[in-house]
Amino acid sequence: MTTPSRPGGANADGPKPLEITGDAKPAVPAFSCIIYVCKTADGSMSGRVANLAGGEAGEIAASGSSERDVLFKLTREFKSRVSKMHDEQQVMPWIDPPPPPLENEQIRHVPVHL
């Protein structure tokens, strides 16, 4: 099946690109959040961020009824802390490489955009 051509090109009526370049292009920082999750003895889920040191605020850890719930809580707190440090131009306390997961933990990699 062929599409009839339109005057002015195939996308003449379609949306035009914004053509944002150079300094006008907004910078959207993205960070990798490495999370270790595991099922607890009572059947709930637990997790912790493995690649960002807790500092004064402590380790980023959460528990919940599902893995999705735990990942949501952890990435929300990760984003909050990283965003604050980024805004204040602080050095990120990355743990590189992160410690190996415990025997019962599984690794999840979550990209986080500020």
Side-chain angles (χ1 to χ4, degrees):
M1 175 181 206
T2 53
T3 305
S5 62
R6 296 181 181 161
N11 292 324
D13 295 331
K16 306 287 187 258
L18 295 177
E19 299 181 23
I20 299 172
T21 60
D23 292 337
K25 187 174 183 178
V28 180
F31 299 93
S32 177
C33 179
I34 300 174
I35 296 175
Y36 296 162
V37 294
C38 66
K39 189 173 262 192
T40 62
D42 67 359
S44 64
M45 296 296 290
S46 177
R48 62 191 173 100
V49 173
N51 65 326
L52 184 67
E56 294 175 11
E59 178 184 55
I60 301 175
S63 58
S65 59
S66 68
E67 182 175 329
R68 181 180 176 144
D69 185 36
V70 171
L71 292 175
F72 175 76
K73 290 175 182 178
L74 292 173
T75 54
R76 183 178 55 193
E77 181 61 25
F78 177 91
K79 182 175 182 174
S80 174
R81 290 191 194 183
V82 170
S83 181
K84 181 179 178 191
M85 287 185 277
H86 183 266
D87 290 346
E88 295 174 358
Q89 298 179 345
Q90 295 178 2
V91 174
M92 300 291 175
W94 300 119
I95 302 171
D96 188 24
L102 300 176
E103 188 175 307
N104 63 337
E105 292 178 318
Q106 295 180 345
I107 303 170
R108 302 292 184 257
H109 295 268
V110 181
V112 177
H113 300 269
L114 300 186

